[in-house]
Amino acid sequence: MRVFVLLLAFLVFQSQAKPISYYFSPEIEFDQRISKPSDVLGYEVGEWHVRHDQLVNYMHRVAEQSPRLSITTVGYSHEKRPLLLLSATSTEQQKSLDSIRQARLAYLKGDTKLHDGPNVIWMGYSVHGNESSGSNAALLVAYYLAAAQGEEIETLLENNIILIDPAMNPDGLARFAQWANSHRGQVLSADPAHREHVEAWPSARTNHYWFDLNRDWLLLQHPESRARVEQFHRWKPTVLTDFHEMGTNSSYFFQPAIPSRTHPITPKQNQLLTHKLATYHAKTLDNEKQLYFTQERFDDFYIGKGSTYPDVNGTVGILFEQASSRGHVQESINGDLHFYRTIKNQLLTTLSTFQGVNAHRTELMHYQRTFFDSISELASKEKYKGFVVAKGQDTYRFEQFSELLKHHQVDAYPLTKTLKVGESNYQIGDLYIPLKQPQLRFIQAAFSTQTSFEDNTFYDVSGWTLPYAFDLDFTLVTSSWGLKYTDAPWSVLPNIASSPRSDGAYAYGIEWHHYLAPKLANLLLKEGIVVRGALKPFTAKISQEDHVFAAGSLVIPSGLQTVQNWRNTLYTLADSLDIQLFSIRTGLTAQGIDLGSRFMAPLKQPKVLLVGGHGTSQYEVGEVWYHLDRHLSIAPTIAEQDRIGQLDLSRYTHLILADGRYDILNKQAKSAIHAWVKKGGVIWGHKRGAKWLVEQQLLHIETVSTKEMKSLFKSDELPYSEREALAAKQRIAGAIYDTQIDLSHPLAFGFEDNRLPVFKNSTWVMRHHKKPFTNVAKYTSTPLLSGYTDERNRAQIAGSSALIAQRYGQGSVIAMADNPVFRGYWYGSSRLLSNALFFGDSF
């Protein structure tokens, strides 16, 4: 009887599986010496969701067996999963891959007139972990390239080097495989309401820190993206594909996307080639009688996506979107959608990509060469020579910006002479970024301040200007007169030397403008070292001279320390972060407050409670977590809304509400939060988190709701065809705004000037608060710096409050209309949140 039950269970599972013959044409013969995926997995592809470790094992196995394949670990994810790059080409070319790579790069630089070597195709799968049909298809792609026989595969491998990035988001893929497999029964459920199809918060779309890696190609905040972009520029593929999934009731999408929503810097020939390749995808899916669409929904505008970043770097990027089963099978308007069917479609368009690229090989390679050959001509047509970017006082923020440019192969040169451009003065060491270099189009896109567009509907953000995100002043350079800079591009300089240290110093000073000064403060407090924060500026005696310390500077008084070897700890931590220490000789200052002043506020180590869970934005909660963890070495307690009322809030100094709906917070939680703030807690909310503070009367201000903002747009007489255009005008998809900050406020300590760019993607407005001393930042009268916003929305936002801080009992309530840590690269505005953690109770 037991044997019969086991056999029955086996047959039920087998009935859901498709053999490898299902995926490939019966005309293809395979080398039987090469392991099929099922030989390594123990099940057929599509029967279960492949775990990342299983995928890695198969890729290594097949690379060992086939002389056509080689495999490289190019990096590791946050959770230390390997990032693989599989290279497939003819056996003979495998022996000289690197020399072929270098020959291609030389060809693209114009060193040779002809290139008769192989083309390079990059196949990228499942950058979103819960869009896993791509990574599962990658198993079949690797098998095909290793084991298929015949003239077609031999020609493909002779003409091309195919790079397979089988799992672009290993941590997310692993998380989703665990979710989907753990809810799979012997009899599959297609009901969309079944738990298998409804992921818990946060979803596996994201990486370890809950970031969308498909938005990180430009920003490079994560190891997965940095490794990928490094390899992209090592190879400079002719075509790069990006395989995704979309809603279950959709069909299949492949580019071209909506023509009017393509970035204007993308060459027209790029789009023509995309159209040509599309005919191969259409033919393949036609043969399978599969539904598909093009030129709808998706765009090619934001250059930080996997299918668009290539377009400004000389490569043709192609996006694929398969309707998702979000599990093993799910009902859809087109019938039950099986996981194995989604995998097969991804395999089919992979093979059609090979066919199309092979057929247009010469034309594609010529386009790529022309892309770079045209640089000099394009530069000569522009009215400017390049950009100059000010270094400012904060060396770390400047270095992070410069490193980002370097990762994108952009050459930037330090000035060797001061330069005046218009009303702006630039100093020795500031950066000059010439337009005339291979990355011309990337530079134009990354520094764009465009605010007017042919089509105002955006799938993602409309503004992303890099120097604004880092709060670095920059200017167009229209003349080379007086422009002097180094011969060699910028590179990281050795660590700075601290001023002479004295073990007998009265105190030690640290300037707050350094981006990592809050991190140092936290690490010192964690070690039990007493730290004071200057609420007013002062001038202290160091060595034989006076030094001016701005408000916000840290002071470590020697006389208050009780921890053994505290000086060694101080020196070690400061050196590890490359932060300069100043030995102060006396507590009596030449100007400003003395070191024993009541305006030397005792700093407390932040204990942060970050509210997450259902209703909150996994992206924005993740961005706060990432900022606290990476930049401040603070481990927040992340708790779901429905648990807040059960927690002992007295354990925490700060409570953070990122964007989200907070209707799950019950009366007990709300009451506990009110009481906690009154006793001295600091609560921060941004976007809808700030809105909740107003609704709960923790913050007393006037607001303009998103509903009121939408009412500014009259729609009574509009035809149905204008519905999408109206929605685009009513929203802010993502733009950059100019604010004016009160530099004297503790939440503004460390900023060098009173203008701060912020990222805005919300139309909720806090009216300018008339109560004195509460408006930390407000939008300027003409706030739009980059990206699109309808003039009616701009008029409402202009002059309104961007950041408000009020007292509530003994505590503090801080509200920001925008997300200061958007996608992890807003090094400028993120200081506002850092300041709130250390000076949030000092106003």
Side-chain angles (χ1 to χ4, degrees), residues 421-445:
V421 185
E423 299 299 317
S424 302
N425 293 300
Y426 290 89
Q427 308 302 316
I428 294 172
D430 292 347
L431 281 188
Y432 171 58
I433 302 161
L435 196 59
K436 189 177 179 181
Q437 57 176 300
Q439 292 298 86
L440 176 144
R441 288 181 178 86
F442 174 86
I443 294 168
Q444 289 180 318

Side-chain angles (χ1 to χ4, degrees), residues 35 78 213 242 341 363 400 407 427 561 615 712 716 831:
S35 297
H78 282 295
L213 290 179
D242 188 18
R341 179 71 248 183
E363 189 177 1
Q400 294 301 302
H407 282 305
Q427 308 302 316
Q561 308 305 326
L712 298 173
D716 299 348
R831 175 172 289 278

Side-chain angles (χ1 to χ4, degrees), residues 11 63 184 262 271 349 394 435 460-461 479 581-582 592 671 685 706 732:
L11 291 174
R184 183 199 196 281
T262 298
Q271 296 300 293
T349 50
D394 183 0
L435 196 59
D460 199 73
V461 300
S479 171
L581 281 179
F582 297 90
S671 177
T706 52
I732 299 176

Side-chain angles (χ1 to χ4, degrees), residues 31 33-35 40 55-73 84-88 91 94 142-143 145-147:
D31 184 343
R33 294 170 298 178
I34 304 297
S35 297
V40 177
L55 183 147
V56 169
N57 288 341
Y58 180 73
M59 293 300 175
H60 277 286
R61 173 78 66 86
V62 76
E64 290 170 2
Q65 293 175 338
S66 173
R68 298 172 177 176
L69 305 184
S70 58
I71 195 166
T72 307
T73 299
L84 302 183
L85 193 64
L86 195 70
S87 305
T91 301
Q94 275 290 350
Y143 176 67
L145 295 172

Side-chain angles (χ1 to χ4, degrees), residues 52 208 220 270 287 334 340 361 482 570 579 700 705 827:
H52 185 259
H208 173 78
L220 300 184
N270 176 295
N287 290 340
N334 300 312
Y340 55 73
R361 172 173 171 265
L570 171 62
I579 293 179
H700 299 282
S705 69
Y827 280 68

Side-chain angles (χ1 to χ4, degrees), residues 607-754:
K607 303 290 185 182
V608 179
L609 176 60
L610 175 58
V611 181
H614 182 71
T616 63
S617 165
Q618 62 180 352
Y619 305 113
E620 299 209 10
V621 173
E623 287 156 8
V624 172
W625 174 29
Y626 179 73
H627 177 71
L628 300 181
D629 188 41
R630 180 184 181 192
H631 296 306
L632 300 176
S633 286
I634 292 173
T637 296
I638 305 175
E640 294 82 353
Q641 293 187 53
D642 58 6
R643 292 199 291 125
I644 300 301
Q646 306 164 25
L647 301 180
D648 177 9
L649 297 186
S650 66
R651 290 173 53 93
Y652 309 104
T653 60
H654 292 73
L655 194 156
I656 297 178
L657 303 174
D659 186 45
R661 300 190 328 272
Y662 290 93
D663 48 355
I664 297 176
L665 289 171
N666 57 31
K667 289 182 179 181
Q668 180 183 355
K670 294 174 184 176
S671 177
I673 291 172
H674 275 261
W676 171 81
V677 176
K678 279 185 178 180
K679 291 180 180 178
V682 177
I683 189 167
W684 166 290
H686 61 253
K687 295 172 64 176
R688 285 179 293 170
K691 182 172 178 283
W692 186 86
L693 298 177
V694 177
E695 291 170 347
Q696 299 303 311
Q697 298 185 347
L698 285 162
L699 187 70
H700 299 282
I701 58 171
E702 293 182 14
T703 65
V704 181
S705 69
T706 52
K707 184 177 181 180
E708 290 176 88
M709 294 289 280
K710 283 186 177 182
S711 69
L712 298 173
F713 299 82
K714 303 302 179 185
S715 57
D716 299 348
E717 303 298 325
L718 289 179
Y720 183 79
S721 60
E722 292 295 313
R723 184 171 55 96
E724 187 178 21
L726 173 64
K729 292 176 181 178
Q730 290 174 324
R731 69 191 285 252
I732 299 176
I736 300 174
Y737 273 59
D738 189 19
T739 68
Q740 184 176 347
I741 57 176
D742 178 359
L743 290 175
S744 69
H745 198 285
L747 296 183
F749 286 167
F751 289 101
E752 296 175 39
D753 60 66
N754 69 346

